[in-house]
Amino acid sequence: MMTGALPMASTVLAQAQALLDQLARGLRWPLLGLGLMLLLAAGWTGWQVLDRQSVSERMRPLPGRIEHFSTRVVRRSDFGLPAGPGVMVDEVEIDLSVRYVFSGRSHLATRYSLTHGNRFAAGSGEAIALQNNTSTWTPGATVSLWVDPEQPSRAVIDKRLPDDSPALLTLIALSGFAMLWLSIRGFRSSRP
């Protein structure tokens, strides 16, 4: 019984390779374009993550005084996955202004998070943490900020970065390499 399984497995493998070659031949140009776009997207996103990481590491704590703070839930159309195109989602939107002094100059911070800015998915961990952190925020209250010493006008209250960035970048890059591999395979199998 075992000897019959090996020829059958090699036949299935040969059929799978033939199907993969046929698919790659027919889609070699779209696969090439998609692979290059995925690699460019991974590179661009990776550069942004590294930039935010370096900014986050050099930021220094500083007290600030709240001038204005309010939140509201906004319904927006979401064009990204997993909600799909045209699906309406609720987001918590922050309107924030915090006055602080750095090196003798007054600045105004209007951004809450280094990564997300002032919008969070309603019900997300960030939105719940925001509600807990801001329950006592009123005009005149003191809050701790993180200020970039190289660009003192850049300050945020939450400088944390998401933990899923490396995994997502790896997935995007591997998908790009897979598309390029299939494209190259398609170009090679189309030669006479």
Side-chain angles (χ1 to χ4, degrees):
M1 278 208 235
M2 294 299 280
T3 56
L6 279 175
M8 189 165 147
S10 64
T11 304
V12 170
L13 182 62
Q15 288 175 346
Q17 287 179 342
L19 183 62
L20 190 61
D21 286 341
Q22 186 178 5
L23 177 69
R25 267 194 310 273
L27 297 175
R28 61 184 176 253
W29 286 107
L31 288 171
L32 178 67
L34 184 59
L36 289 174
M37 285 191 317
L38 285 171
L39 289 176
L40 286 173
W44 175 255
T45 306
W47 178 82
Q48 288 179 324
V49 167
L50 288 175
D51 181 53
R52 282 195 297 256
Q53 181 69 36
S54 68
V55 169
S56 177
E57 288 174 0
R58 72 175 176 247
M59 286 183 139
R60 300 293 171 249
L62 195 71
R65 186 168 305 277
I66 296 174
E67 290 189 355
H68 173 75
F69 175 78
S70 65
T71 62
R72 63 187 178 135
V73 176
V74 179
R75 224 165 148 70
R76 297 191 185 280
S77 180
D78 183 20
F79 293 101
L81 296 174
V87 174
M88 299 301 287
V89 294
D90 290 339
E91 286 184 339
V92 177
E93 193 173 79
I94 303 169
D95 188 13
L96 167 76
S97 58
V98 180
R99 179 80 49 196
Y100 63 99
V101 177
F102 184 84
S103 296
R105 293 188 59 197
S106 179
H107 298 275
L108 188 67
T110 58
R111 190 175 172 95
Y112 179 81
S113 165
L114 183 61
T115 302
H116 299 290
N118 291 354
R119 288 188 188 162
F120 304 91
S124 67
E126 293 97 349
I128 293 168
L130 173 72
Q131 286 177 321
N132 294 336
N133 291 341
T134 62
S135 59
T136 60
W137 286 8
T138 57
T142 302
V143 66
S144 185
L145 294 169
W146 292 94
V147 179
D148 181 358
E150 292 181 15
Q151 293 180 320
S153 60
R154 185 187 227 182
V156 294
I157 292 172
D158 184 6
K159 72 170 192 158
R160 293 173 301 154
L161 300 173
D163 296 332
D164 61 347
S165 294
L168 182 61
L169 285 174
T170 303
L171 181 63
I172 293 171
L174 288 176
S175 299
F177 282 121
M179 296 296 157
L180 287 178
W181 176 77
L182 282 172
S183 172
I184 291 169
R185 187 178 178 121
F187 282 114
R188 284 185 179 167
S189 67
S190 67
R191 290 182 188 162

